[in-house]
Amino acid sequence: GDDACLRCLPQELNVSGVNAFLESSRANGSARKVADLPTLIQEQRLFFVDYHVLEGVPTRGGSALYQPIALLFLEDFTIPQTGETVRRLMPLAIQLTRHLKKNIVYHPEMDPTAEWRFAKLHLLHADSNVHEAAVHLGYTHLAMEPIIVAFHRRLPEDSPLMQLFLRHTRHTLDINELGRRTLLSPNGDFERASGLGLQGVLGIMQSTYRDHSLLRRDRGWSFHDYNFVNNLRLRGFQRVAEGDIGGAKDDLPGFHF
């Protein structure tokens, strides 16, 4: 039923606010013909990104740091020059707050120079902080360190597997050491240039590694979860995870082959 469909969305999402916007949009004859949320879910056209990992993260000087939820959907679009119909990923709504009595849902039909732009700016701010602290520095650079050390300790230099591995990890430990001295030091780049400051960046890294990863809210980072097939399955791309690469062109917007 509809309730079962909606349970896959973040529990803090103001679903009634999103539905009210969609109903108003259809009633006013908007050019964007968007179905309701249960229909988008059933047709596998709804996507969301949830920055819950930013809750409780300290900021420098008390600057604002929202924990947005963004909804996106696959829209059928006809290319004017060729007449070809393709699917493109488009923004549907953004919610910046979570625990207010009424959490405002921002959408593209708001004043594009004020409310909608305000929401997009804070969404980009959240995304850039999570990307740099968790995805890039935490999950890519630092999480690879013990694996690199283990490879060098256990595999001979002339092993084919070692030769392949070296091509992907050359200079990683050197870069990490440089990053610890320039980015993560008490008066380093994060402390001086980031709106979060060093403690905020470390807060994101700790939260996404120890408490709840970007894929799951019930546990921290896991090497098993970030296996590519398991990663796809946890994100809801079951057909692709099972090897249906043909279905990936519909399931994964912008996925290149």
Side-chain angles (χ1 to χ4, degrees):
D2 290 356
D3 289 342
C5 289
L6 296 175
R7 276 199 291 271
C8 68
L9 296 173
Q11 61 182 7
E12 302 94 341
L13 179 66
N14 181 1
V15 173
S16 59
V18 177
N19 281 330
F21 144 62
L22 292 175
E23 290 172 7
S24 173
S25 178
R26 289 192 295 270
N28 294 333
S30 170
R32 304 178 76 206
K33 305 298 182 183
V34 184
D36 56 28
L37 290 181
T39 301
L40 289 174
I41 294 172
Q42 290 168 358
E43 294 177 352
Q44 296 186 328
R45 292 198 293 133
L46 186 70
F47 298 80
F48 72 86
V49 58
D50 181 4
Y51 294 96
H52 61 88
V53 296
L54 294 177
E55 287 198 80
V57 170
T59 61
R60 189 172 60 176
S63 58
L65 179 64
Y66 290 105
Q67 306 92 45
I69 301 168
L71 298 182
L72 306 100
F73 75 106
L74 281 178
E75 177 184 67
D76 293 326
F77 173 71
T78 301
I79 302 174
Q81 294 82 355
T82 64
E84 179 187 6
T85 299
V86 297
R87 280 189 162 182
R88 61 181 183 179
L89 193 63
M90 299 293 290
L92 180 63
I94 298 171
Q95 178 180 307
L96 297 179
T97 57
R98 291 172 179 265
H99 305 299
L100 301 182
K101 189 172 182 181
K102 182 179 181 182
N103 295 300
I104 298 174
V105 174
Y106 298 85
H107 53 81
E109 295 186 15
M110 287 179 160
D111 182 351
T113 63
E115 291 99 334
W116 179 237
R117 181 175 293 181
F118 172 82
K120 288 194 294 182
L121 285 172
H122 280 286
L123 176 67
L124 290 172
H125 180 238
D127 183 76
S128 63
N129 279 304
V130 169
H131 172 79
E132 288 302 331
V135 179
H136 185 186
L137 180 56
Y139 289 177
T140 304
H141 281 273
L142 300 182
M144 283 300 297
E145 281 199 8
I147 298 170
I148 294 171
V149 172
F151 261 74
H152 281 278
R153 285 180 173 176
R154 304 299 297 178
L155 290 179
E157 288 293 325
D158 58 354
S159 162
L161 184 59
M162 185 63 170
Q163 291 300 312
L164 176 64
F165 183 75
L166 285 174
R167 295 177 181 271
H168 295 281
T169 60
R170 184 174 288 119
H171 306 310
T172 300
L173 295 181
D174 296 332
I175 293 170
N176 289 1
E177 179 57 27
L178 179 64
R180 271 189 281 269
R181 288 189 278 112
T182 60
L183 298 176
L184 297 174
S185 60
N187 195 35
D189 293 341
F190 278 140
E191 180 62 32
R192 291 184 289 106
S194 169
L196 299 184
L198 178 58
Q199 292 307 310
V201 171
L202 293 176
I204 294 176
M205 293 171 63
Q206 183 182 65
S207 171
T208 54
Y209 186 80
R210 185 191 66 185
D211 301 326
H212 29 244
S213 75
L214 299 176
L215 288 176
R216 305 179 60 140
R217 298 184 73 162
D218 60 340
R219 71 184 190 198
W221 183 89
S222 159
F223 187 79
H224 180 267
D225 287 347
Y226 278 83
N227 167 287
F228 184 62
V229 173
N230 293 335
N231 188 304
L232 289 173
R233 187 176 288 115
L234 286 169
R235 292 176 185 272
F237 301 115
Q238 186 66 29
R239 288 197 301 167
V240 188
E242 293 173 353
D244 181 8
I245 301 301
K249 293 184 179 180
D250 293 327
D251 287 352
L252 297 177
F255 198 81
H256 299 287
F257 297 91

